[in-house]
Amino acid sequence: MSQIPERVKQWMPAHLHGLEPYDPAFTPCDTILSANENNFGVPAAVRDEMLAALAGVEEMRYPDALSGELRAELAAWHGVEPANVLVCNGGDEAIFNFFLAFGGGAKLLNCPPTFEVYELYGSMVGVSAHNVWRDPETLRPRWDELLAAAPSCDLAVITSPNNPTGDAVERAQVERLLEAVPGPVLVDEAYAEFTGAGQLAAGQPGTALPLLAEHPNLVVLHTLSKAFGLAGARIGYVIADPGVISALAAVRQPYSVNSFSQAAALVAVRRREEFEPNLRTLLAERSRVQRALAELPGVTLWPSDANFFLMRVPGAAQLRARLRDEHSILVRDFSAKPGLQDCLRVTVGRPEDNDALLGALGTLLG
Ligand code: PMP
């Protein structure tokens, strides 16, 4: 995708002149470990039922605007009311709508290095970010500074586990943030299902959701793109106070979640426990890969609660190019990002994906 030419930029408002089309830096490769997708995909039996459900979709009708059946199923899973849930076109849409609803002219408490779209989407609707940078060594949030800055901000976002650093936030810290920020706090839990085994059953331990009853400014974000292997279907959802859900529903495009994706997601969520075996394998693989990489010369790793991890290695950008060009393995280069010098982000894949990665890195670094 080419850049926006100056003659077109002059038609755009000045605050958008810094934007460029998103480039996922994707190259087709045999082993894709670059986008934190779930390489296990959907279990075969669940996928068969999904395909049957797709055949029953009435494509000539508009979709159910609020994804009623899916919303009810998600609510039952998480032990909340349907009025607490809003289904979105991926977590991305939820993040965008969060800023659209609450962000105009507001000051956002942000904790980089983190998911870059918070600042990007915020900037589109006049949000200015107050960045409290993570500790440069541990890459963990600096809680004292965050909490000190919170009262002077209007809203906040915290990511647990964080992308790209991989660390989850303790519920007690989220609670302090909810008490200190005067407005809504988005807790982005896109990777919550990877914080430990058993997250697909009721009462997930890896989520801030139990705080909702006492803290109506809590806005929890989940997605089916990661643990459920449905990145292509674009289904995310927010759990929050019904008033917050109404505000998010008011700014959204009514039919942003298409009927096919609703049907596929409903099957996935109903049969969620069938995703658990692959999830357990993935967690075991995360430990195996990290243990093996820690043996390689020059490699620094950070612990991860997600389906990816960050690794620092001298000449990271060049290493990423060699993995791609000589071994057909794609990982994500963060080495040019502030605070992430020489860092690559590696998704944990199936055992065979991880074997390919370990073999290639053994050759390139060993
Ligand atoms: N939050 C975080 C932290 C993410 O990394 C991502 C995906 N990269 C998302 C939200 C959005 O995911 P999706 O739009 O696929 O639901």
Side-chain angles (χ1 to χ4, degrees), residues 22 35-36 88-95 114-118 121 159-164 188-191 221-226 230-232 234-237 308 332 345:
Y22 177 67
N36 302 342
C88 307
N89 186 268
D92 274 351
E93 188 200 19
I95 295 166
T114 187
F115 195 32
E116 289 185 322
V117 307
Y118 311 135
Y121 292 172
T159 318
S160 180
N162 185 48
N163 177 10
D188 183 342
E189 297 185 349
Y191 301 96
L221 172 64
H222 284 196
T223 177
L224 302 196
S225 295
K226 311 297 178 182
L230 283 178
R234 313 302 304 125
I235 296 279
Y237 60 101
F308 59 85
R332 188 73 184 263
R345 191 194 66 195

mmCIF file of all heavy atoms in Angstrom, residues 22 35-36 88-95 114-118 121 159-164 188-191 221-226 230-232 234-237 308 332 345, ligand 1:
data_model
loop_
_atom_site.group_PDB
_atom_site.id
_atom_site.type_symbol
_atom_site.label_atom_id
_atom_site.label_comp_id
_atom_site.label_asym_id
_atom_site.label_seq_id
_atom_site.Cartn_x
_atom_site.Cartn_y
_atom_site.Cartn_z
ATOM 1 N N TYR A 22 -1.779 1.079 7.428
ATOM 2 C CA TYR A 22 -1.152 0.054 8.280
ATOM 3 C C TYR A 22 -0.428 -0.989 7.427
ATOM 4 O O TYR A 22 -0.980 -1.497 6.452
ATOM 5 C CB TYR A 22 -2.235 -0.629 9.133
ATOM 6 C CG TYR A 22 -1.702 -1.747 9.991
ATOM 7 C CD1 TYR A 22 -0.837 -1.468 11.048
ATOM 8 C CD2 TYR A 22 -2.046 -3.076 9.754
ATOM 9 C CE1 TYR A 22 -0.336 -2.483 11.845
ATOM 10 C CE2 TYR A 22 -1.551 -4.104 10.556
ATOM 11 C CZ TYR A 22 -0.691 -3.796 11.596
ATOM 12 O OH TYR A 22 -0.200 -4.805 12.384
ATOM 13 N N ALA A 35 2.195 -12.830 14.247
ATOM 14 C CA ALA A 35 1.001 -12.026 14.534
ATOM 15 C C ALA A 35 0.218 -12.541 15.740
ATOM 16 O O ALA A 35 -0.939 -12.161 15.928
ATOM 17 C CB ALA A 35 0.095 -11.956 13.293
ATOM 18 N N ASN A 36 0.836 -13.387 16.551
ATOM 19 C CA ASN A 36 0.175 -13.917 17.761
ATOM 20 C C ASN A 36 -1.151 -14.606 17.462
ATOM 21 O O ASN A 36 -2.080 -14.591 18.276
ATOM 22 C CB ASN A 36 -0.028 -12.809 18.810
ATOM 23 C CG ASN A 36 1.279 -12.174 19.207
ATOM 24 O OD1 ASN A 36 2.343 -12.752 18.974
ATOM 25 N ND2 ASN A 36 1.216 -10.997 19.797
ATOM 26 N N CYS A 88 -17.978 -7.073 19.110
ATOM 27 C CA CYS A 88 -17.381 -6.093 18.188
ATOM 28 C C CYS A 88 -16.665 -6.795 17.038
ATOM 29 O O CYS A 88 -16.390 -7.987 17.107
ATOM 30 C CB CYS A 88 -16.338 -5.251 18.918
ATOM 31 S SG CYS A 88 -16.957 -4.503 20.403
ATOM 32 N N ASN A 89 -16.360 -6.011 16.011
ATOM 33 C CA ASN A 89 -15.614 -6.498 14.862
ATOM 34 C C ASN A 89 -14.129 -6.578 15.241
ATOM 35 O O ASN A 89 -13.316 -5.718 14.892
ATOM 36 C CB ASN A 89 -15.835 -5.537 13.683
ATOM 37 C CG ASN A 89 -15.217 -6.042 12.410
ATOM 38 O OD1 ASN A 89 -14.078 -5.725 12.091
ATOM 39 N ND2 ASN A 89 -15.950 -6.826 11.681
ATOM 40 N N GLY A 90 -13.801 -7.589 16.015
ATOM 41 C CA GLY A 90 -12.448 -7.706 16.551
ATOM 42 C C GLY A 90 -12.261 -6.765 17.733
ATOM 43 O O GLY A 90 -13.020 -5.793 17.901
ATOM 44 N N GLY A 91 -11.244 -7.072 18.541
ATOM 45 C CA GLY A 91 -10.903 -6.161 19.630
ATOM 46 C C GLY A 91 -10.579 -4.778 19.105
ATOM 47 O O GLY A 91 -10.844 -3.765 19.763
ATOM 48 N N ASP A 92 -10.035 -4.713 17.913
ATOM 49 C CA ASP A 92 -9.669 -3.422 17.326
ATOM 50 C C ASP A 92 -10.846 -2.458 17.283
ATOM 51 O O ASP A 92 -10.710 -1.278 17.592
ATOM 52 C CB ASP A 92 -9.148 -3.624 15.892
ATOM 53 C CG ASP A 92 -7.658 -3.943 15.866
ATOM 54 O OD1 ASP A 92 -7.002 -3.837 16.919
ATOM 55 O OD2 ASP A 92 -7.159 -4.295 14.790
ATOM 56 N N GLU A 93 -12.012 -2.972 16.882
ATOM 57 C CA GLU A 93 -13.171 -2.078 16.807
ATOM 58 C C GLU A 93 -13.557 -1.577 18.199
ATOM 59 O O GLU A 93 -13.918 -0.418 18.381
ATOM 60 C CB GLU A 93 -14.389 -2.771 16.172
ATOM 61 C CG GLU A 93 -15.510 -1.769 15.931
ATOM 62 C CD GLU A 93 -16.904 -2.375 15.755
ATOM 63 O OE1 GLU A 93 -17.136 -3.521 16.149
ATOM 64 O OE2 GLU A 93 -17.762 -1.658 15.234
ATOM 65 N N ALA A 94 -13.433 -2.480 19.169
ATOM 66 C CA ALA A 94 -13.780 -2.087 20.539
ATOM 67 C C ALA A 94 -12.852 -0.978 21.033
ATOM 68 O O ALA A 94 -13.296 -0.017 21.685
ATOM 69 C CB ALA A 94 -13.696 -3.299 21.457
ATOM 70 N N ILE A 95 -11.572 -1.104 20.710
ATOM 71 C CA ILE A 95 -10.607 -0.084 21.146
ATOM 72 C C ILE A 95 -10.938 1.251 20.467
ATOM 73 O O ILE A 95 -10.989 2.302 21.100
ATOM 74 C CB ILE A 95 -9.164 -0.530 20.815
ATOM 75 C CG1 ILE A 95 -8.808 -1.786 21.619
ATOM 76 C CG2 ILE A 95 -8.178 0.594 21.098
ATOM 77 C CD1 ILE A 95 -7.558 -2.513 21.140
ATOM 78 N N THR A 114 3.680 -0.843 24.499
ATOM 79 C CA THR A 114 2.453 -1.614 24.537
ATOM 80 C C THR A 114 1.840 -1.640 23.140
ATOM 81 O O THR A 114 2.476 -1.210 22.175
ATOM 82 C CB THR A 114 1.482 -1.044 25.604
ATOM 83 O OG1 THR A 114 0.368 -1.914 25.744
ATOM 84 C CG2 THR A 114 0.989 0.354 25.260
ATOM 85 N N PHE A 115 0.619 -2.133 23.038
ATOM 86 C CA PHE A 115 -0.066 -2.233 21.746
ATOM 87 C C PHE A 115 -0.212 -0.813 21.173
ATOM 88 O O PHE A 115 -0.777 0.073 21.825
ATOM 89 C CB PHE A 115 -1.433 -2.866 22.001
ATOM 90 C CG PHE A 115 -2.147 -3.375 20.786
ATOM 91 C CD1 PHE A 115 -1.467 -3.882 19.694
ATOM 92 C CD2 PHE A 115 -3.537 -3.368 20.759
ATOM 93 C CE1 PHE A 115 -2.153 -4.372 18.581
ATOM 94 C CE2 PHE A 115 -4.235 -3.856 19.656
ATOM 95 C CZ PHE A 115 -3.533 -4.352 18.568
ATOM 96 N N GLU A 116 0.297 -0.620 19.962
ATOM 97 C CA GLU A 116 0.428 0.751 19.461
ATOM 98 C C GLU A 116 -0.893 1.377 19.041
ATOM 99 O O GLU A 116 -0.980 2.594 18.895
ATOM 100 C CB GLU A 116 1.408 0.774 18.291
ATOM 101 C CG GLU A 116 2.832 0.544 18.754
ATOM 102 C CD GLU A 116 3.827 0.678 17.630
ATOM 103 O OE1 GLU A 116 3.498 0.247 16.508
ATOM 104 O OE2 GLU A 116 4.917 1.207 17.879
ATOM 105 N N VAL A 117 -1.918 0.567 18.835
ATOM 106 C CA VAL A 117 -3.155 1.151 18.306
ATOM 107 C C VAL A 117 -3.848 2.052 19.324
ATOM 108 O O VAL A 117 -4.646 2.893 18.935
ATOM 109 C CB VAL A 117 -4.158 0.102 17.764
ATOM 110 C CG1 VAL A 117 -3.525 -0.819 16.767
ATOM 111 C CG2 VAL A 117 -4.810 -0.660 18.863
ATOM 112 N N TYR A 118 -3.527 1.904 20.628
ATOM 113 C CA TYR A 118 -4.188 2.799 21.588
ATOM 114 C C TYR A 118 -3.857 4.260 21.239
ATOM 115 O O TYR A 118 -4.740 5.101 21.136
ATOM 116 C CB TYR A 118 -3.754 2.515 23.033
ATOM 117 C CG TYR A 118 -3.807 1.070 23.460
ATOM 118 C CD1 TYR A 118 -2.760 0.501 24.171
ATOM 119 C CD2 TYR A 118 -4.908 0.274 23.158
ATOM 120 C CE1 TYR A 118 -2.795 -0.820 24.586
ATOM 121 C CE2 TYR A 118 -4.943 -1.053 23.563
ATOM 122 C CZ TYR A 118 -3.884 -1.595 24.266
ATOM 123 O OH TYR A 118 -3.914 -2.903 24.658
ATOM 124 N N TYR A 121 -5.313 5.119 17.511
ATOM 125 C CA TYR A 121 -6.754 5.374 17.432
ATOM 126 C C TYR A 121 -7.115 6.605 18.265
ATOM 127 O O TYR A 121 -7.952 7.416 17.871
ATOM 128 C CB TYR A 121 -7.560 4.169 17.936
ATOM 129 C CG TYR A 121 -7.488 2.936 17.068
ATOM 130 C CD1 TYR A 121 -8.042 1.735 17.499
ATOM 131 C CD2 TYR A 121 -6.881 2.960 15.822
ATOM 132 C CE1 TYR A 121 -7.995 0.588 16.718
ATOM 133 C CE2 TYR A 121 -6.823 1.811 15.039
ATOM 134 C CZ TYR A 121 -7.370 0.627 15.496
ATOM 135 O OH TYR A 121 -7.310 -0.507 14.728
ATOM 136 N N THR A 159 -2.828 -3.311 29.605
ATOM 137 C CA THR A 159 -2.928 -4.520 28.794
ATOM 138 C C THR A 159 -2.393 -5.698 29.590
ATOM 139 O O THR A 159 -1.278 -5.624 30.108
ATOM 140 C CB THR A 159 -2.113 -4.334 27.498
ATOM 141 O OG1 THR A 159 -2.369 -3.020 27.021
ATOM 142 C CG2 THR A 159 -2.469 -5.349 26.463
ATOM 143 N N SER A 160 -3.206 -6.743 29.690
ATOM 144 C CA SER A 160 -2.823 -7.860 30.562
ATOM 145 C C SER A 160 -3.305 -9.182 29.986
ATOM 146 O O SER A 160 -4.506 -9.437 29.966
ATOM 147 C CB SER A 160 -3.426 -7.638 31.952
ATOM 148 O OG SER A 160 -3.074 -8.712 32.805
ATOM 149 N N PRO A 161 -2.372 -10.005 29.494
ATOM 150 C CA PRO A 161 -0.939 -9.782 29.309
ATOM 151 C C PRO A 161 -0.678 -8.704 28.253
ATOM 152 O O PRO A 161 -1.465 -8.538 27.325
ATOM 153 C CB PRO A 161 -0.426 -11.141 28.827
ATOM 154 C CG PRO A 161 -1.437 -12.133 29.270
ATOM 155 C CD PRO A 161 -2.744 -11.416 29.225
ATOM 156 N N ASN A 162 0.459 -8.023 28.435
ATOM 157 C CA ASN A 162 0.770 -6.909 27.541
ATOM 158 C C ASN A 162 1.418 -7.399 26.246
ATOM 159 O O ASN A 162 2.198 -8.337 26.244
ATOM 160 C CB ASN A 162 1.728 -5.943 28.254
ATOM 161 C CG ASN A 162 2.006 -4.709 27.428
ATOM 162 O OD1 ASN A 162 1.073 -4.085 26.908
ATOM 163 N ND2 ASN A 162 3.268 -4.345 27.284
ATOM 164 N N ASN A 163 1.075 -6.733 25.172
ATOM 165 C CA ASN A 163 1.712 -6.951 23.873
ATOM 166 C C ASN A 163 2.605 -5.748 23.610
ATOM 167 O O ASN A 163 2.087 -4.631 23.612
ATOM 168 C CB ASN A 163 0.612 -7.051 22.797
ATOM 169 C CG ASN A 163 1.160 -7.194 21.397
ATOM 170 O OD1 ASN A 163 2.348 -7.397 21.202
ATOM 171 N ND2 ASN A 163 0.282 -7.069 20.416
ATOM 172 N N PRO A 164 3.904 -5.889 23.408
ATOM 173 C CA PRO A 164 4.640 -7.113 23.120
ATOM 174 C C PRO A 164 5.442 -7.691 24.288
ATOM 175 O O PRO A 164 6.225 -8.607 24.051
ATOM 176 C CB PRO A 164 5.623 -6.638 22.049
ATOM 177 C CG PRO A 164 5.999 -5.261 22.503
ATOM 178 C CD PRO A 164 4.743 -4.695 23.156
ATOM 179 N N ASP A 188 -7.224 -4.423 28.573
ATOM 180 C CA ASP A 188 -7.176 -5.208 27.334
ATOM 181 C C ASP A 188 -6.642 -6.599 27.663
ATOM 182 O O ASP A 188 -5.444 -6.778 27.909
ATOM 183 C CB ASP A 188 -6.285 -4.487 26.318
ATOM 184 C CG ASP A 188 -6.242 -5.205 24.977
ATOM 185 O OD1 ASP A 188 -6.607 -6.400 24.916
ATOM 186 O OD2 ASP A 188 -5.825 -4.567 23.989
ATOM 187 N N GLU A 189 -7.553 -7.571 27.682
ATOM 188 C CA GLU A 189 -7.207 -8.959 28.031
ATOM 189 C C GLU A 189 -7.276 -9.867 26.807
ATOM 190 O O GLU A 189 -7.756 -11.000 26.874
ATOM 191 C CB GLU A 189 -8.151 -9.458 29.132
ATOM 192 C CG GLU A 189 -8.014 -8.678 30.434
ATOM 193 C CD GLU A 189 -8.870 -9.241 31.561
ATOM 194 O OE1 GLU A 189 -9.730 -10.105 31.298
ATOM 195 O OE2 GLU A 189 -8.678 -8.796 32.709
ATOM 196 N N ALA A 190 -6.791 -9.358 25.668
ATOM 197 C CA ALA A 190 -6.822 -10.152 24.437
ATOM 198 C C ALA A 190 -6.139 -11.512 24.616
ATOM 199 O O ALA A 190 -6.511 -12.487 23.963
ATOM 200 C CB ALA A 190 -6.154 -9.368 23.300
ATOM 201 N N TYR A 191 -5.155 -11.569 25.524
ATOM 202 C CA TYR A 191 -4.378 -12.809 25.705
ATOM 203 C C TYR A 191 -4.663 -13.480 27.045
ATOM 204 O O TYR A 191 -3.879 -14.325 27.496
ATOM 205 C CB TYR A 191 -2.880 -12.493 25.575
ATOM 206 C CG TYR A 191 -2.527 -11.886 24.237
ATOM 207 C CD1 TYR A 191 -2.428 -10.504 24.089
ATOM 208 C CD2 TYR A 191 -2.336 -12.684 23.123
ATOM 209 C CE1 TYR A 191 -2.132 -9.932 22.864
ATOM 210 C CE2 TYR A 191 -2.046 -12.131 21.891
ATOM 211 C CZ TYR A 191 -1.946 -10.756 21.763
ATOM 212 O OH TYR A 191 -1.666 -10.197 20.546
ATOM 213 N N LEU A 221 -11.694 -6.032 27.749
ATOM 214 C CA LEU A 221 -11.721 -6.412 26.335
ATOM 215 C C LEU A 221 -11.184 -7.829 26.151
ATOM 216 O O LEU A 221 -10.108 -8.155 26.660
ATOM 217 C CB LEU A 221 -10.848 -5.440 25.527
ATOM 218 C CG LEU A 221 -10.617 -5.822 24.062
ATOM 219 C CD1 LEU A 221 -11.919 -5.816 23.285
ATOM 220 C CD2 LEU A 221 -9.619 -4.876 23.422
ATOM 221 N N HIS A 222 -11.943 -8.657 25.438
ATOM 222 C CA HIS A 222 -11.485 -9.999 25.052
ATOM 223 C C HIS A 222 -11.633 -10.153 23.536
ATOM 224 O O HIS A 222 -12.346 -9.377 22.893
ATOM 225 C CB HIS A 222 -12.320 -11.074 25.741
ATOM 226 C CG HIS A 222 -11.987 -11.269 27.190
ATOM 227 N ND1 HIS A 222 -12.376 -12.384 27.891
ATOM 228 C CD2 HIS A 222 -11.297 -10.512 28.075
ATOM 229 C CE1 HIS A 222 -11.942 -12.305 29.138
ATOM 230 N NE2 HIS A 222 -11.298 -11.171 29.278
ATOM 231 N N THR A 223 -11.001 -11.178 23.009
ATOM 232 C CA THR A 223 -11.115 -11.436 21.569
ATOM 233 C C THR A 223 -11.126 -12.938 21.301
ATOM 234 O O THR A 223 -10.590 -13.714 22.100
ATOM 235 C CB THR A 223 -9.937 -10.790 20.808
ATOM 236 O OG1 THR A 223 -10.044 -11.114 19.417
ATOM 237 C CG2 THR A 223 -8.579 -11.289 21.299
ATOM 238 N N LEU A 224 -11.712 -13.333 20.187
ATOM 239 C CA LEU A 224 -11.635 -14.736 19.760
ATOM 240 C C LEU A 224 -10.486 -14.950 18.763
ATOM 241 O O LEU A 224 -10.318 -16.024 18.213
ATOM 242 C CB LEU A 224 -12.955 -15.182 19.125
ATOM 243 C CG LEU A 224 -14.231 -15.071 19.969
ATOM 244 C CD1 LEU A 224 -15.346 -15.907 19.337
ATOM 245 C CD2 LEU A 224 -14.047 -15.498 21.412
ATOM 246 N N SER A 225 -9.683 -13.893 18.546
ATOM 247 C CA SER A 225 -8.596 -13.997 17.559
ATOM 248 C C SER A 225 -7.427 -14.836 18.030
ATOM 249 O O SER A 225 -6.623 -15.291 17.218
ATOM 250 C CB SER A 225 -8.049 -12.600 17.237
ATOM 251 O OG SER A 225 -9.008 -11.808 16.608
ATOM 252 N N LYS A 226 -7.296 -15.008 19.337
ATOM 253 C CA LYS A 226 -6.071 -15.614 19.871
ATOM 254 C C LYS A 226 -6.356 -17.048 20.331
ATOM 255 O O LYS A 226 -6.143 -17.975 19.575
ATOM 256 C CB LYS A 226 -5.527 -14.736 21.008
ATOM 257 C CG LYS A 226 -5.426 -13.257 20.653
ATOM 258 C CD LYS A 226 -4.464 -12.995 19.518
ATOM 259 C CE LYS A 226 -4.416 -11.516 19.165
ATOM 260 N NZ LYS A 226 -3.532 -11.222 18.027
ATOM 261 N N LEU A 230 -9.553 -17.599 15.775
ATOM 262 C CA LEU A 230 -10.524 -17.048 14.814
ATOM 263 C C LEU A 230 -10.152 -15.634 14.368
ATOM 264 O O LEU A 230 -11.042 -14.796 14.154
ATOM 265 C CB LEU A 230 -11.924 -17.031 15.439
ATOM 266 C CG LEU A 230 -12.660 -18.375 15.492
ATOM 267 C CD1 LEU A 230 -14.009 -18.209 16.186
ATOM 268 C CD2 LEU A 230 -12.884 -18.957 14.095
ATOM 269 N N ALA A 231 -8.861 -15.365 14.204
ATOM 270 C CA ALA A 231 -8.445 -14.002 13.835
ATOM 271 C C ALA A 231 -9.129 -13.538 12.552
ATOM 272 O O ALA A 231 -9.458 -12.354 12.401
ATOM 273 C CB ALA A 231 -6.927 -13.934 13.685
ATOM 274 N N GLY A 232 -9.372 -14.471 11.634
ATOM 275 C CA GLY A 232 -9.993 -14.103 10.361
ATOM 276 C C GLY A 232 -11.464 -13.759 10.479
ATOM 277 O O GLY A 232 -12.024 -13.113 9.578
ATOM 278 N N ARG A 234 -12.809 -11.934 12.922
ATOM 279 C CA ARG A 234 -12.928 -10.585 13.498
ATOM 280 C C ARG A 234 -14.054 -10.520 14.531
ATOM 281 O O ARG A 234 -15.087 -9.880 14.319
ATOM 282 C CB ARG A 234 -13.154 -9.509 12.408
ATOM 283 C CG ARG A 234 -12.256 -9.577 11.208
ATOM 284 C CD ARG A 234 -10.778 -9.490 11.563
ATOM 285 N NE ARG A 234 -10.451 -8.314 12.315
ATOM 286 C CZ ARG A 234 -9.818 -8.347 13.504
ATOM 287 N NH1 ARG A 234 -9.441 -9.502 14.059
ATOM 288 N NH2 ARG A 234 -9.563 -7.237 14.127
ATOM 289 N N ILE A 235 -13.865 -11.212 15.638
ATOM 290 C CA ILE A 235 -14.822 -11.144 16.736
ATOM 291 C C ILE A 235 -14.082 -10.815 18.032
ATOM 292 O O ILE A 235 -13.186 -11.546 18.459
ATOM 293 C CB ILE A 235 -15.582 -12.487 16.932
ATOM 294 C CG1 ILE A 235 -16.448 -12.816 15.721
ATOM 295 C CG2 ILE A 235 -16.410 -12.439 18.214
ATOM 296 C CD1 ILE A 235 -17.780 -12.108 15.655
ATOM 297 N N GLY A 236 -14.460 -9.694 18.621
ATOM 298 C CA GLY A 236 -13.992 -9.337 19.957
ATOM 299 C C GLY A 236 -15.205 -8.980 20.786
ATOM 300 O O GLY A 236 -16.317 -8.895 20.256
ATOM 301 N N TYR A 237 -15.025 -8.796 22.077
ATOM 302 C CA TYR A 237 -16.153 -8.362 22.893
ATOM 303 C C TYR A 237 -15.673 -7.619 24.124
ATOM 304 O O TYR A 237 -14.566 -7.826 24.606
ATOM 305 C CB TYR A 237 -17.061 -9.539 23.268
ATOM 306 C CG TYR A 237 -16.427 -10.649 24.060
ATOM 307 C CD1 TYR A 237 -16.602 -10.757 25.432
ATOM 308 C CD2 TYR A 237 -15.647 -11.610 23.432
ATOM 309 C CE1 TYR A 237 -16.027 -11.789 26.164
ATOM 310 C CE2 TYR A 237 -15.060 -12.653 24.152
ATOM 311 C CZ TYR A 237 -15.257 -12.727 25.513
ATOM 312 O OH TYR A 237 -14.676 -13.751 26.227
ATOM 313 N N PHE A 308 3.030 -15.560 23.120
ATOM 314 C CA PHE A 308 4.207 -15.017 22.428
ATOM 315 C C PHE A 308 5.191 -14.587 23.508
ATOM 316 O O PHE A 308 4.842 -14.551 24.696
ATOM 317 C CB PHE A 308 3.820 -13.804 21.563
ATOM 318 C CG PHE A 308 3.213 -12.698 22.374
ATOM 319 C CD1 PHE A 308 4.002 -11.758 23.012
ATOM 320 C CD2 PHE A 308 1.831 -12.616 22.537
ATOM 321 C CE1 PHE A 308 3.431 -10.768 23.798
ATOM 322 C CE2 PHE A 308 1.261 -11.622 23.316
ATOM 323 C CZ PHE A 308 2.063 -10.698 23.948
ATOM 324 N N ARG A 332 8.223 -11.159 14.372
ATOM 325 C CA ARG A 332 7.968 -9.717 14.286
ATOM 326 C C ARG A 332 9.150 -8.928 14.854
ATOM 327 O O ARG A 332 9.623 -9.219 15.948
ATOM 328 C CB ARG A 332 6.685 -9.401 15.068
ATOM 329 C CG ARG A 332 6.168 -8.002 14.937
ATOM 330 C CD ARG A 332 5.550 -7.757 13.577
ATOM 331 N NE ARG A 332 5.149 -6.366 13.469
ATOM 332 C CZ ARG A 332 3.924 -5.921 13.691
ATOM 333 N NH1 ARG A 332 2.966 -6.765 13.991
ATOM 334 N NH2 ARG A 332 3.652 -4.632 13.592
ATOM 335 N N ARG A 345 9.584 -10.208 18.546
ATOM 336 C CA ARG A 345 8.459 -10.850 19.221
ATOM 337 C C ARG A 345 8.135 -12.137 18.477
ATOM 338 O O ARG A 345 7.923 -12.124 17.265
ATOM 339 C CB ARG A 345 7.237 -9.923 19.230
ATOM 340 C CG ARG A 345 6.115 -10.428 20.155
ATOM 341 C CD ARG A 345 4.817 -9.691 19.890
ATOM 342 N NE ARG A 345 4.331 -10.009 18.561
ATOM 343 C CZ ARG A 345 3.385 -9.322 17.911
ATOM 344 N NH1 ARG A 345 2.838 -8.268 18.464
ATOM 345 N NH2 ARG A 345 2.994 -9.682 16.704
HETATM 346 N N1 PMP B 1 -5.334 -6.103 22.016
HETATM 347 C C1 PMP B 1 -4.089 -6.561 21.897
HETATM 348 C C2 PMP B 1 -3.151 -6.382 23.042
HETATM 349 C C3 PMP B 1 -3.677 -7.203 20.726
HETATM 350 O O1 PMP B 1 -2.420 -7.631 20.610
HETATM 351 C C4 PMP B 1 -4.598 -7.366 19.681
HETATM 352 C C5 PMP B 1 -4.214 -8.060 18.397
HETATM 353 N N2 PMP B 1 -2.987 -7.860 17.918
HETATM 354 C C6 PMP B 1 -5.886 -6.860 19.860
HETATM 355 C C7 PMP B 1 -6.220 -6.246 21.038
HETATM 356 C C8 PMP B 1 -6.929 -6.895 18.798
HETATM 357 O O2 PMP B 1 -7.148 -8.144 18.303
HETATM 358 P P1 PMP B 1 -8.371 -8.423 17.333
HETATM 359 O O3 PMP B 1 -8.756 -7.125 16.689
HETATM 360 O O4 PMP B 1 -7.876 -9.423 16.365
HETATM 361 O O5 PMP B 1 -9.464 -8.927 18.209
#
